[in-house]
Amino acid sequence: MPRFAANLSMLYNEHAFLDRFAAAAADGFKGVEYLFPYDFPAAEIAKRLQDNGLAQVLFNAPPGDWAAGERGLACLPGREAEFRDGFARALDYAAALDCPRIHVMAGLVPAGQTREALRPTYVANLRWAAEQAAKAGRNVLIEPINTRNIPGFFLNRQDDAHAVVQAVGAPNLQVQFDLYHCQIVEGDVAMKIRQYLPTGRVGHFQIAGVPERHEPDIGELNHPYLFSVIDEVAAQCGWQGWVGCEYLPARGAVPGGTTAGLGWARGLL
């Protein structure tokens, strides 16, 4: 069965952020991910990881002005210096947290621009980031995100993400394969797992129920079947990554919080 990591930006919101590590560990999670660590000292997060026996498996590089609606800088001409400064900060946190993967958000397509015009900037920024990450022993991930959740996002499809990885040509640049986003944009999720996981270009999976983004046992995707597909293909190709639980708890509103919605994970954690 895949290794599951709790996404602490979405799960355990009944607790303050730094208290979510202990809550996740108490429920049996061995790894955690989240959007951004930068509001807290790296040493404090590292202590929470160590105290609770947790692995930090993923977080995002700075995305620009998140509060103002920015969702990444990598595709934006003229923002290269800010992108590089932010990625350097992410590498510092990755070193302190012993985190092997950094997700670089592509960004939104500006009004009047085309994806084709932005692609050279995107590829160049990723090539630079992969080079810097390789020196530190880290991997860089890119993620196709559906345009319902983030309208105008630059990268939306698995085939496009894999084409970008091949264009950059860095062995430590990989795709963050979110089954939720994939189902909304293109479907055929199981066959895409079979197609892409053996290539070595998939660095991480994420899950959520479709369409509401709740627990994975709510909605139209058959996650037990998809977990078995990941297991089968991983055994064939030697993949040993993580599956991030990046969903909004629907059952967390009842007594017991996030924990009350973990029935889907019984026997898996």
Side-chain angles (χ1 to χ4, degrees):
M1 186 55 59
R3 296 182 296 172
F4 294 96
N7 187 296
L8 301 186
S9 294
M10 292 193 177
L11 304 187
Y12 301 104
N13 277 286
E14 60 271 25
H15 303 286
F17 179 75
L18 291 175
D19 295 331
R20 296 173 196 173
F21 294 83
D27 281 334
F29 285 102
K30 304 301 183 185
V32 295
E33 62 178 40
Y34 38 72
L35 294 181
F36 312 110
Y38 310 109
D39 287 341
F40 302 91
E44 182 60 37
I45 297 176
K47 185 177 186 303
R48 301 297 173 125
L49 293 167
Q50 182 176 6
D51 288 350
N52 294 287
L54 293 168
Q56 182 70 56
V57 305
L58 174 75
F59 63 83
N60 293 355
D65 190 341
W66 184 267
E70 291 190 323
R71 294 297 181 263
L73 301 173
C75 77
L76 301 180
R79 305 287 294 277
E80 290 87 351
E82 186 178 351
F83 172 80
R84 292 187 177 200
D85 287 346
F87 191 78
R89 189 179 185 201
L91 283 175
D92 288 342
Y93 268 79
L97 304 178
D98 193 23
C99 181
R101 303 168 194 86
I102 300 171
H103 171 212
V104 170
M105 297 187 74
L108 306 178
V109 177
Q113 300 249 18
T114 66
R115 285 175 171 79
E116 292 74 16
L118 300 175
R119 194 179 186 93
T121 298
Y122 188 51
V123 169
N125 277 331
L126 291 176
R127 185 171 289 125
W128 177 88
E131 290 173 356
Q132 304 309 305
K135 297 173 186 176
R138 314 292 170 193
N139 288 347
V140 178
L141 302 187
I142 60 173
E143 181 185 21
I145 295 177
N146 79 77
T147 54
R148 184 168 73 209
N149 283 104
I150 305 184
F153 196 74
F154 175 85
L155 190 68
N156 311 125
R157 296 181 56 86
Q158 294 296 315
D159 55 1
D160 196 20
H162 283 267
V164 168
V165 168
Q166 290 177 293
V168 172
N172 65 325
L173 178 66
Q174 297 179 305
V175 176
Q176 185 170 313
F177 188 157
D178 190 312
L179 309 189
Y180 165 81
H181 293 304
C182 182
Q183 171 67 5
I184 291 171
V185 174
E186 48 195 310
D188 204 20
V189 175
M191 293 307 295
K192 287 181 172 61
I193 294 170
R194 295 185 183 279
Q195 177 182 356
Y196 291 120
L197 189 54
T199 68
R201 296 192 300 269
V202 175
H204 189 68
F205 286 103
Q206 289 178 321
I207 58 171
V210 180
E212 294 93 354
R213 206 172 193 175
H214 293 320
E215 285 85 348
D217 59 345
I218 300 175
E220 65 197 41
L221 281 178
N222 182 350
H223 279 91
Y225 169 72
L226 294 173
F227 297 155
S228 73
V229 172
I230 293 173
D231 274 348
E232 175 192 341
V233 181
Q236 294 168 357
C237 69
W239 185 82
Q240 296 182 336
W242 291 81
V243 175
C245 302
E246 191 186 40
Y247 63 82
L248 301 166
R251 300 184 180 118
V254 303
T258 299
T259 302
L262 288 176
W264 68 270
R266 191 168 295 115
L268 304 181
L269 297 177

